[in-house]
Amino acid sequence: MNVAGTSRHQTSSSLDIGKLAVSVERKLSILPHFSNNCSIFRVPKRLRELNERAYTPQVISIGPFHHGKQELKEMEEHKRLYLKEFLELSEVNLIAAKDFIETIADREARLRNCYAETFDNLSKEEFVEMVLLDCSFLIMFLLKRSFPNLRNKYTDRIFKKPWMKEDIIRFDLCLLENQLPFFIVEELFKLSNIQDNHQEYSMIKVTRDLLSCEWGSWAPKSSILMEINLSEAEHFVDFLRICQKPAEHMQPNTLEALTAPSVAELHRAGIKFKLGSSQKLLDIKFDENEGTLEIPKLRIDKRTEILFRNLQAFEQCNGGRYRYVRDYIAMLSFLVPSAKDVEILVKYEILRNWLHDNDAVSILFRNLSKENFINVNNFYFSGVVEDLNKYYRKRGHNWKASLEQNSFRNPWTIISVVAAAVLVILTIIQTVFDHPTCFIMITQLFCMALSLKFYNMLTRA
């Protein structure tokens, strides 16, 4: 039986196989080369959909991801003003624009490889000019923040009237999609020789100043910042991540249960909370013998979500073993699922809540935990979680805590219990001497009542 349609021979003859093969090979030959050295990424859609604003620059674009966007073009003129000032500072040392352009052009391939996308829409000239403008802006912005004498009162609209919201620019500089590799910033600054005439001007110093001012709780101005060099970090976001790198003794391990008691549950189980003295926020410790959970202080305000979301996105995109920010987010989401949990930590000054209420904090960590992929075989707080779960499961701890919190909270209750105990003892003594049989019956009834009381306390705990 014949089926209507073309035969295999007819199909082949109507298709120019050689032409198609050449076309396919040509397309394959121009496939972009993706580098394993990339460190600046576009935020995945599943994360961006949770809070678009947390990843999107509001005032200024740095790097190619948001380059040319209409809503950010107002700052392009200001970039050119900062480039002019940068060149004027450099000209004192006989360094001209062409020297910077040549340096960037020689490193174009390396610079492009730092990004997870190729940006073929940007020509060599456009790419080099963009890096020059953005890089000179970063250098001058950082210097002007730390050294007000560099601010030009006639042309500067960031630090002088009318202000262009310098605080928002600080936010924009710490977004994952809005980064320049540190190496090019450092190289252009060294090439300018600005530091020859001003020894106090230092890229690492002004970088530390910016991050400690903006993210003091996460990047405190202490030995933590002093130990980090620009050569260790890829960009601002990576620098912030390194700020809270766990100590050597804190290594990830297998997590048996993907849950932990909340702060309120731990409190009912008798666990005491202690403000940790460490500036390493991940340095959470549980002392089972003392029943004490020690947590370093964390300030939470409107900027916290921006910081955590961009660090979280960087870890997820960058890969590698060291994903401790995601584990810290998971640990806090375990501990504070409700406003009551936050209230307890605020009481012990572990959390400094600058949001409108305690419920906002628990909602923040609940939202951060969405799409926060953790590896149960590689979890930094596995030891703390397992110890807390074991402690909480022990009924004795719940009973003891319930007795202390409910029965002995009021001094009159204590007096009543002591008086009742004395009365019972006196009654027992009298019964022993007068009626031995009655003593046995009373003792049995007393034991039954005591057992019932304990049972009720245990079931409530």
Side-chain angles (χ1 to χ4, degrees), residues 193-382:
N193 290 328
I194 292 174
Q195 204 169 11
D196 288 354
N197 302 316
H198 305 277
Q199 290 296 323
E200 69 276 21
Y201 297 170
S202 158
M203 275 297 100
I204 184 61
K205 180 185 183 302
V206 294
T207 298
R208 289 167 178 161
D209 287 347
L210 170 73
L211 298 182
S212 63
C213 170
E214 197 58 46
W215 315 103
S217 180
W218 185 268
K221 187 176 282 188
S222 66
S223 58
I224 292 176
L225 276 181
M226 296 303 108
E227 292 169 1
I228 305 174
N229 293 313
L230 287 184
S231 59
E232 296 178 57
E234 302 287 349
H235 42 69
F236 284 130
V237 178
D238 193 28
F239 196 104
L240 285 166
R241 184 186 65 87
I242 295 172
C243 283
Q244 289 299 329
K245 184 178 179 179
E248 288 297 325
H249 67 82
M250 186 178 178
Q251 294 298 320
N253 214 325
T254 302
L255 183 65
E256 297 297 331
L258 196 58
T259 183
S262 69
V263 165
E265 290 171 330
L266 294 172
H267 181 65
R268 286 196 296 271
I271 286 179
K272 298 179 283 291
F273 298 92
K274 179 182 177 182
L275 174 62
S277 58
S278 175
Q279 291 188 321
K280 290 282 190 180
L281 294 177
L282 278 70
D283 201 8
I284 300 174
K285 303 173 184 174
F286 178 59
D287 187 332
E288 188 174 2
N289 295 326
E290 297 291 331
T292 302
L293 182 60
E294 182 177 322
I295 308 174
K297 180 181 289 187
L298 173 66
R299 169 178 165 147
I300 297 177
D301 55 33
K302 64 180 182 180
R303 304 170 297 178
T304 304
E305 183 173 3
I306 295 174
L307 172 68
F308 280 177
R309 285 202 176 279
N310 282 274
L311 289 171
Q312 179 189 55
F314 178 56
E315 280 193 344
Q316 289 194 19
C317 294
N318 201 42
R321 290 180 58 245
Y322 304 106
R323 301 188 185 185
Y324 39 85
V325 176
R326 69 174 185 188
D327 291 355
Y328 183 67
I329 291 171
M331 187 67 198
L332 289 180
S333 67
F334 290 158
L335 292 175
V336 291
S338 72
K340 178 64 178 175
D341 305 300
V342 176
E343 181 185 340
I344 294 171
L345 293 188
V346 169
K347 174 185 174 183
Y348 286 96
E349 300 183 349
I350 291 168
L351 288 183
R352 290 182 62 196
N353 182 13
W354 286 53
L355 299 180
H356 53 276
D357 57 29
N358 291 333
D359 198 43
V361 178
S362 62
I363 291 172
L364 167 64
F365 285 104
R366 198 178 310 141
N367 289 336
L368 285 171
S369 66
K370 296 174 182 176
E371 301 293 333
N372 186 45
F373 300 139
I374 65 174
N375 185 350
V376 294
N377 297 315
N378 207 36
F379 191 73
Y380 274 92
F381 300 97
S382 57

Side-chain angles (χ1 to χ4, degrees), residues 29 44 47 50 80-81 91 108 152-153 196 219 230 246 350 447 449 459:
S29 68
L47 290 177
L50 297 174
R80 298 187 189 282
L81 290 172
E91 279 176 358
E108 183 198 2
N152 189 319
K153 64 181 179 181
D196 288 354
L230 287 184
I350 291 168
C447 290
T459 52

Side-chain angles (χ1 to χ4, degrees), residues 83-137:
L83 172 59
K84 182 180 178 182
E85 293 180 21
F86 177 62
L87 292 175
E88 287 171 354
L89 281 174
S90 305
E91 279 176 358
V92 176
N93 302 301
L94 304 178
I95 306 297
K98 66 180 182 61
D99 299 303
F100 296 112
I101 291 172
E102 185 178 358
T103 299
I104 297 169
D106 289 344
R107 292 155 181 76
E108 183 198 2
R110 181 182 173 189
L111 283 164
R112 285 184 183 267
N113 284 339
C114 290
Y115 296 92
E117 298 180 17
T118 58
F119 299 103
D120 294 329
N121 59 309
L122 289 175
S123 68
K124 184 181 183 73
E125 290 77 14
E126 291 170 329
F127 187 85
V128 170
E129 182 182 6
M130 176 198 72
V131 172
L132 177 62
L133 283 170
D134 292 354
C135 205
S136 58
F137 176 86

Side-chain angles (χ1 to χ4, degrees), residues 51-65:
N51 187 344
E52 174 84 21
R53 190 177 177 84
Y55 307 105
T56 307
Q58 304 300 306
V59 176
I60 188 169
S61 69
I62 298 292
F65 278 112

